[in-house]
Amino acid sequence: MIRNSSSLSNSNVIRADKSGIENYCCFVNSVVCPTARASMASPKKATYAQMLSRPPPNILPIQPPEKKKDLQSEAEKDPLFEVPFLWDFENSPIRSDQVAQLEANINSSLQTLHPKLHLAKRKYGAGNTNLDFVKGHRAKLHEMGFHMDDSVIPGRYCFVCKGDREVGDFGDYYMRLREVADRMILQQLQRHVLNGSPSRFVLLVSRNADFKLSMEFLKAKNYIVFLAILGKTNEAFTHTGNFVWDWEKMPDGKASPIWPLVIRKTK
């Protein structure tokens, strides 16, 4: 009986302890920590004012869909179809109103042969930079990549003397004459060939027959020579080009070669 009474008394003590702990927890929840009591309560829907007071969620901006790459812009990146541009602009000038669209119009004329042909980023010209279409539009030409060099020393120089002595216009073969602008253009041409560019095209704008031997050399090295001539030009020089354009029409765009005639098949 003693054991039974002791066991009963122990169970009553345990129950009393449990009830005391529960009461203590309720007291803490209700008095000491009301916020904890609120968090333990059943969740309620937030009011409209509370929703407005919340900080906006950190949502990443929606990226616009990628534009499809233009086939022409891809073609312009192809180095195999890049065309270096050499311009003797003193004897092959243009009108001032042709400057604004000069690069685009030359490209469109080249593309009458092949849609991937395009001018190189850097275009070189040599001559008198005091001409109206150069002096009045220097910034626009520079923006399009035309590097216009001034041939500072006017006159013609002896080829045999390596350009040390100015000479007259003699007909002797051994007194071949070379203009300063021509020499500057030939230096750029040599750089292009020696730099090992993958392109096998060259566009020369000039009506000076002094370039004839240089163009024949390029053709012998499997280059395709494009010429653009203005007015009457030496016929032998004209025929050194694989394709020849009329420079008066080429800056206006979409000009086809005048020699040889390109015959397109019609469907």
Side-chain angles (χ1 to χ4, degrees):
M1 294 299 292
I2 295 172
R3 290 178 182 176
N4 291 337
S5 61
S6 63
S7 63
L8 289 171
S9 61
N10 290 337
S11 62
N12 291 333
V13 170
I14 292 169
R15 288 195 192 99
D17 290 343
K18 285 184 178 179
S19 61
I21 292 170
E22 289 174 358
N23 293 333
Y24 178 75
C25 290
C26 291
F27 173 75
V28 170
N29 289 335
S30 60
V31 178
V32 179
C33 187
T35 55
R37 181 186 61 182
S39 63
M40 294 176 65
S42 59
K44 295 181 180 179
K45 292 183 179 180
T47 63
Y48 182 70
Q50 289 173 338
M51 291 175 67
L52 290 178
S53 64
R54 289 175 183 174
N58 186 17
I59 301 174
L60 294 175
I62 299 174
Q63 298 294 334
E66 275 191 29
K67 294 182 179 179
K68 292 184 178 179
K69 293 182 179 179
D70 187 8
L71 295 177
Q72 182 57 37
S73 64
E74 286 294 321
E76 290 178 355
K77 296 178 182 178
D78 192 342
L80 294 176
F81 291 90
E82 187 176 83
V83 183
F85 181 81
L86 303 169
W87 186 9
D88 187 3
F89 60 79
E90 191 167 353
N91 69 20
S92 299
I94 60 172
R95 303 188 310 271
S96 294
D97 62 327
Q98 292 176 316
V99 172
Q101 298 296 324
L102 183 59
E103 182 185 18
N105 288 341
I106 294 174
N107 278 331
S108 68
S109 296
L110 289 173
Q111 287 159 11
T112 59
L113 286 182
H114 194 285
K116 288 188 176 182
L117 288 172
H118 63 279
L119 291 178
K121 289 183 179 179
R122 186 179 186 274
K123 302 98 180 161
Y124 184 80
N128 182 7
T129 54
N130 288 321
L131 295 173
D132 291 340
F133 77 93
V134 181
K135 192 174 182 179
H137 302 84
R138 187 180 292 274
K140 182 63 178 177
L141 289 167
H142 180 74
E143 181 185 340
M144 292 186 289
F146 289 92
H147 183 81
M148 312 295 274
D149 262 354
D150 190 14
S151 54
V152 180
I153 308 171
R156 298 169 68 86
Y157 290 82
C158 175
F159 176 77
V160 176
C161 305
K162 298 181 181 179
D164 296 332
R165 182 167 59 88
E166 188 172 358
V167 296
D169 191 6
F170 301 106
D172 189 353
Y173 175 80
Y174 295 101
M175 297 294 287
R176 294 180 62 85
L177 306 179
R178 180 180 293 175
E179 292 182 4
V180 175
D182 297 352
R183 184 168 55 186
M184 295 166 70
I185 290 171
L186 288 174
Q187 286 175 352
Q188 295 296 320
L189 184 60
Q190 289 171 358
R191 288 177 185 174
H192 169 68
V193 174
L194 295 175
N195 284 343
S197 172
S199 170
R200 309 300 292 180
F201 300 96
V202 171
L203 171 58
L204 172 67
V205 182
S206 179
R207 54 182 176 181
N208 194 336
D210 288 349
F211 289 109
K212 179 177 178 292
L213 291 176
S214 300
M215 297 302 105
E216 288 177 347
F217 170 80
L218 288 176
K219 288 176 70 175
K221 295 294 182 182
N222 297 322
Y223 279 83
I224 297 175
V225 175
F226 298 149
L227 290 181
I229 58 175
L230 182 65
K232 270 194 173 184
T233 309
N234 182 283
E235 188 176 352
F237 169 63
T238 302
H239 290 170
T240 58
N242 297 93
F243 296 92
V244 182
W245 278 264
D246 182 355
W247 182 240
E248 190 174 0
K249 296 178 181 178
M250 196 177 193
D252 291 328
K254 296 183 179 179
S256 298
I258 58 174
W259 188 90
L261 293 176
V262 179
I263 301 173
R264 298 188 177 277
K265 294 180 181 180
T266 56
K267 293 182 179 181

